[in-house]
């Protein structure tokens, strides 16, 4: 078919046929991408939403806000926020130290920040549970103070801190690297104290990246399963996290129950993803300055 | 590094400028110590603990654990999972990267976000989706059952879960490299008569090899280490559908702590190798990005 003929056919056919033809004529790289995304990602998501839609809205709401479910949201989301915020402070500090100062073994410290990405989560859970248990290396120091970490909500928090740290460091680090040192020097020479320089000169352009990192870390901590399930005692109303509740519902063949909690978690991830994208756009404003 | 710079300004001997200089002498030290202490509490001590626990009873028991039948089976499964999921996601990642980096189209940012989705979906939710699709009561359940194909609580389901969670890495790492590499050389090759395949193999691939390698390393690490999604779909049956990360948890729950740590050491070594390879690739390309 020559080009003019194609144009003629397109002009005759309704819009959907034109669209369909365009899809058929796509290069094979596009076809593989689209087919893989549909089969692996979109169909499973659709299956979950359709499964959830078989429940009446009232019943959906009832499952989603049952007392046990609310308790797991509390443990999951509140603990994740606390973990991400702690890392917001210390992750920024670590990024700062890595960018601005020189010290022995700096390269190794820099490389090992990514450990939580590389270490399988079950191994992380296993070793954190051991180290922070009552007779573990760190736990035994805390036990006399009456602080129990492993198999409590505090342990879940430690696992979430572990898993979300690299997100904050790796988001803040490149921005700090590109920040011009001259601005700080200008502030100093104008008589600003170190604290003033940090608070008024360094922090404002850094803030969007810190927030992005915190959001990324939070989103990872919310979904985290492997390390938290091992370090937690999974006791309802105490340290049971939402992903474990989904797992337990599935084990009891309660597919609707699992799906409803799953939809709640998924929707929150989607909202977070959207928020993070907006935040990154905001952070990028400072790129060309 | 740069901390010495302010000296240039305080060289005048002015006392007002000398005082921040004195402060600087202890501030960096304190900050470095705090940063290292935090990392030690959260990462280093637990990481060292894996090795100490595994070898606490000596080398003998460690190796005795490594030749257990259920361990060997788990290790074999883990390698198999990676051998299937990594090439699958590499082909997808390269195609997606090509499609996205070489075309400007409306909704490009949206497509990028869709590719990123598996990162923001909880692994348990990912597993749940696969169960709802291929499980007994799932969409394809009756069809699969009538053909006697088992996906959930079997190896194919574990492959699906592994491929799902490690999907975006290659695309994510290759897209920026491909964008930076530009299409000039490809167009030149085409003008000189190279076909698509030759262009890709001789021109594009060498240009993006470090980005691709970076993506492969991350995909492999995630594929071998995935726990949540695989545990939902596999049913965690020892000797049949238990991968290495599942073996770690199962042994720990059965109070076989030494067996758990012996397997954990292998997975931790995988993490160490991953970090070293990452570092090498980063030095080659000097890219540093969050996944």
């Amino acid at each position: 078919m020559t080009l003019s003929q194609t144009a003629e056919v397109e002009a005759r056919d309704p819009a959907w046929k034109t669209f369909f033809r365009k899809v058929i004529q796509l290069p094979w790289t596009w076809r593989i991408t689209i087919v893989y995304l549909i089969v692996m990602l979109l169909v499973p998501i659709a299956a979950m939403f359709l499964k959830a839609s078989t429940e009446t809205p009232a019943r959906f709401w009832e499952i989603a806000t049952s007392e046990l479910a609310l308790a797991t949201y509390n443990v999951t989301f509140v603990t994740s926020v606390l973990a991400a915020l702690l890392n917001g402070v210390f992750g920024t500090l670590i990024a700062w130290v890595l960018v601005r100062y020189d010290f022995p073994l700096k390269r190794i410290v820099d490389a090992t920040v990514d450990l939580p990405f590389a270490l399988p989560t079950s191994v992380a859970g296993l070793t954190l549970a051991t180290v922070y248990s009552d007779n573990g290396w760190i736990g035994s120091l805390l036990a006399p103070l009456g602080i129990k970490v492993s198999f409590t909500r505090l342990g879940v928090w430690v696992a979430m801190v572990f898993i979300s740290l690299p997100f904050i460091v790796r988001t803040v680090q490149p921005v700090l690297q590109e920040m011009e040192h001259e601005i700080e020097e200008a502030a100093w020479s104008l008589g600003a104290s170190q604290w003033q320089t940090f608070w008024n000169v360094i922090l404002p352009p850094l803030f969007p990246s810190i927030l992005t990192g915190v959001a990324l870390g939070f989103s990872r901590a919310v979904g985290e399963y492997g390390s938290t399930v091992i370090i937690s005692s999974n006791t309802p109303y105490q340290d049971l996290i939402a992903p474990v509740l989904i797992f337990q519902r599935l084990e009891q063949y309660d597919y609707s129950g699992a799906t409803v909690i799953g939809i709640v978690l998924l929707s929150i991830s989607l909202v977070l993803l959207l928020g993070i994208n907006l935040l990154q756009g905001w952070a990028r404003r400072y790129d060309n300055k | 590094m740069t901390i010495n710079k302010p000296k240039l300004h305080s060289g005048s001997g002015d006392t007002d400028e000398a005082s921040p200089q004195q402060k600087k002498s202890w501030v960096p030290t304190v900050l470095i110590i705090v940063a290292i202490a935090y990392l030690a509490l959260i990462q280093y001590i637990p990481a060292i603990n894996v090795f100490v626990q595994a070898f606490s009873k000596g080398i003998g028991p460690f190796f005795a654990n490594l030749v257990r039948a259920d361990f060997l089976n788990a290790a074999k499964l883990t390698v198999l999972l990676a051998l299937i999921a990594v090439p699958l996601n590499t082909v997808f990642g390269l195609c997606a990267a090509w499609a996205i980096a070489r075309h400007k189209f409306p909704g490009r940012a949206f497509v990028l976000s869709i590719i990123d989705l598996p990162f923001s979906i909880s692994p348990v939710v990912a597993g749940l989706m696969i169960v709802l699709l291929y499980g007994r009561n799932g969409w394809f359940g009756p069809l699969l059952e009538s053909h006697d194909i088992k996906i959930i609580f079997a190896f194919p389901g574990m492959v699906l879960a592994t491929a799902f969670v490690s999907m975006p890495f290659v695309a994510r790492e290759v897209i920026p490299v491909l964008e930076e590499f530009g299409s000039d050389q490809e167009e030149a090759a085409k003008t000189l008569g190279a076909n698509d395949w030759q262009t890709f193999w001789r021109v594009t691939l060498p240009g993006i090899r470090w980005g691709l390698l970076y993506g492969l390393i991350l995909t492999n690490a995630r594929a071998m280490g995935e726990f949540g999604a695989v545990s939902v779909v596999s049913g965690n049956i020892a000797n049949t559908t238990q991968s290495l990360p599942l073996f770690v948890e199962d042994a720990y729950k059965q109070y076989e702590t030494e067996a758990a740590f012996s397997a954990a050491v292998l997975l931790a070594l995988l993490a160490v190798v991953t970090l070293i390879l990452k570092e090498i690739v980063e030095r080659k390309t000097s890219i540093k990005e969050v996944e």
Side-chain angles (χ1 to χ4, degrees), chain A residues 180-249:
Chain A
E180 281 162 44
H181 207 264
E182 281 76 17
I183 313 173
E184 287 158 56
E185 283 170 31
W188 282 332
S189 63
L190 291 170
S193 71
Q194 279 210 315
W195 185 244
Q196 281 174 320
T197 313
F198 176 75
W199 203 247
N200 295 326
V201 178
I202 299 168
L203 203 57
L206 210 55
F207 193 67
S209 325
I210 297 175
L211 211 57
T212 309
V214 168
L216 282 170
F218 171 68
S219 139
R220 174 68 197 263
V222 164
E224 177 57 19
Y225 174 74
S227 53
T228 38
V229 73
I230 294 176
I231 202 169
S232 136
S233 67
N234 299 310
T235 312
Y237 303 105
Q238 279 174 29
D239 59 358
L240 189 75
I241 50 165
V244 178
L245 183 64
I246 297 176
F247 201 99
Q248 290 179 347
R249 290 274 150 89

Side-chain angles (χ1 to χ4, degrees), chain B residues 22-94:
Chain B
Q22 279 165 357
K23 269 188 212 159
K24 285 195 76 64
S25 60
W26 62 266
V27 167
T29 320
V30 170
L31 292 184
I32 291 168
I33 290 170
V34 172
I36 302 284
Y38 187 74
L39 282 168
L41 279 177
I42 297 299
Q43 294 189 351
Y44 301 154
I45 295 175
I48 295 165
N49 177 64
V50 177
F51 292 89
V52 173
Q53 295 285 338
F55 296 106
S56 58
K57 299 243 166 81
I59 303 279
F62 170 73
F63 281 108
N65 281 317
L66 292 193
V67 292
R68 285 167 52 158
D70 50 352
F71 168 83
L72 288 174
N73 196 63
K76 197 182 85 191
L77 265 187
T78 297
V79 172
L80 268 179
L81 283 174
L83 278 178
I84 300 175
V86 173
L88 216 56
N89 283 330
T90 306
V91 171
F92 159 74
L94 282 175

